[in-house]
Amino acid sequence: MGLFGKNQKKIIEELHKKSEDHCKEISKEIDELLDDLKTDYDENREVVKEFTSFVDELKTKLSPEDANRLIDFSSRLTKIKRCAKKGVEAMRELARDQRKVTRETHMEYEEYFYLK
């Protein structure tokens, strides 16, 4: 005779199914968000380089004060690009961690069912 009766095993199996469905749903959402974020980042990754080239062309035609303001703005855009890149990397890590947790949870349930 096992530790749990048939009713408890059925409840645990239902919990396993719900947990697995939730994990798959969350993983799917994370993957979709990551794809969207990567697509947007890839489409715009060259903008800062293009803008910097444009600033280099313009700064000789501007007053020193305006040129400095434009250079400052350009450096802030570079920081925004770094933030965007970190966001993509963080989302990639989140996706990887979610897949890992899903596998571990599934293995724990499988281990339980084989030990019953």
Side-chain angles (χ1 to χ4, degrees):
M1 180 170 197
L3 290 172
F4 301 107
K6 288 186 180 189
N7 193 34
Q8 285 95 353
K9 285 183 183 181
K10 183 179 178 182
I11 291 170
I12 292 172
E13 287 174 358
E14 288 174 7
L15 180 64
H16 173 239
K17 177 72 173 131
K18 275 185 176 181
S19 175
E20 190 172 37
D21 290 345
H22 289 305
C23 286
K24 286 179 182 179
E25 185 178 320
I26 291 169
S27 291
K28 182 181 174 186
E29 288 181 36
I30 290 172
D31 289 339
E32 288 172 359
L33 289 170
L34 176 59
D35 287 342
D36 291 346
L37 191 59
K38 281 174 30 181
T39 300
D40 290 345
Y41 179 77
D42 289 341
E43 287 175 2
N44 295 296
R45 70 187 307 169
E46 297 301 316
V47 170
V48 172
K49 190 184 295 184
E50 292 171 13
F51 186 74
T52 302
S53 296
F54 182 63
V55 166
D56 289 339
E57 290 175 27
L58 276 182
K59 69 181 176 184
T60 58
K61 299 174 185 176
L62 298 173
S63 69
E65 183 181 300
D66 287 341
N68 286 336
R69 288 177 56 205
L70 196 56
I71 291 168
D72 181 55
F73 185 72
S74 178
S75 69
R76 288 186 289 166
L77 280 178
T78 302
K79 290 178 183 177
I80 291 171
K81 180 183 176 185
R82 250 184 272 133
C83 288
K85 185 176 182 179
K86 287 179 183 180
V88 171
E89 291 169 359
M91 187 62 92
R92 186 178 297 125
E93 286 180 31
L94 180 64
R96 186 195 69 227
D97 292 347
Q98 176 62 26
R99 284 189 298 273
K100 181 179 175 184
V101 167
T102 300
R103 278 192 310 272
E104 288 173 355
T105 302
H106 181 73
M107 288 172 48
E108 287 174 3
Y109 277 112
E110 288 295 318
E111 185 178 304
Y112 165 77
F113 288 128
Y114 286 123
L115 292 177
K116 64 181 180 174

